[in-house]
Amino acid sequence: DDSDGVDQSEADVELLGWEECAENMAFRVDKAWRQRCSQRFRNILDMIAKKADHSVLRLLQISQQHIESQLERVKHERELWKEVVERRQQQPLQLALSMKEQSADGGYAQSMPQSARALRR
C-alpha cells in the first residue's frame, strides 16, 4: 500500500527530527550542567543525593528548634512550680502566726471573721 509507505517515511522524518532535537537538547543540558554544577557534584545522581541530605538536614534543624522550644517551656513551668512550692512552704508559717494572733485576741476574736478582726485594730 502506497499510503503506508508515505506514512512510514513521514514517521521516519519526524523521528529523525526528534533525534536531532534530543541530541541538541542533551548537548545543551550537558553544557549547562558543566557550567553550573560540575564543581560541586559529580553527576545528577550525586546532586540528588546531596539534595536529599539537605532535606534531612532541614528536618533535623526543625526538630532541634522544636526541642529547644519545648525545653524553654519546661524551664518556665519549672520556675512556676518553684514559686508554688515556696508559697506552700510559707503557708504553714503564716497559718501559725495567724493562730498565735487568734489565741492572743481571746475567744471573742476567734469567732469573728478575719476582716472584722482587722477593723478592730
Side-chain angles (χ1 to χ4, degrees):
D1 208 358
D2 201 25
S3 66
D4 286 339
V6 171
D7 287 341
Q8 184 62 39
S9 64
E10 286 177 12
D12 289 343
V13 168
E14 189 174 338
L15 182 62
L16 287 174
W18 276 104
E19 273 185 36
E20 189 176 310
C21 180
E23 286 174 9
N24 186 27
M25 177 74 86
F27 173 76
R28 291 171 53 199
V29 167
D30 188 51
K31 182 178 176 183
W33 168 263
R34 287 182 190 169
Q35 289 173 347
R36 294 187 183 140
C37 302
S38 64
Q39 288 94 16
R40 291 182 287 166
F41 309 107
R42 290 176 304 209
N43 55 36
I44 289 178
L45 292 176
D46 185 38
M47 181 182 76
I48 291 170
K50 297 284 192 241
K51 179 110 174 127
D53 290 345
H54 180 73
S55 298
V56 169
L57 176 63
R58 184 68 189 127
L59 285 174
L60 288 172
Q61 289 170 336
I62 291 168
S63 296
Q64 179 185 7
Q65 291 169 353
H66 180 70
I67 289 169
E68 286 173 352
S69 70
Q70 285 182 326
L71 181 61
E72 287 302 315
R73 183 182 52 81
V74 167
K75 284 180 180 178
H76 179 70
E77 287 178 2
R78 182 173 181 248
E79 292 301 317
L80 293 175
W81 276 111
K82 278 183 176 180
E83 290 177 20
V84 168
V85 168
E86 287 173 5
R87 286 183 188 154
R88 285 195 177 168
Q89 287 173 344
Q90 292 172 0
Q91 281 179 349
L93 176 61
Q94 291 169 350
L95 181 61
L97 290 174
S98 68
M99 288 177 72
K100 185 178 177 182
E101 286 177 10
Q102 285 177 1
S103 65
D105 287 344
Y108 175 70
Q110 288 178 358
S111 63
M112 277 194 288
Q114 189 173 1
S115 58
R117 277 183 275 153
L119 290 174
R120 230 176 101 213
R121 291 184 189 162

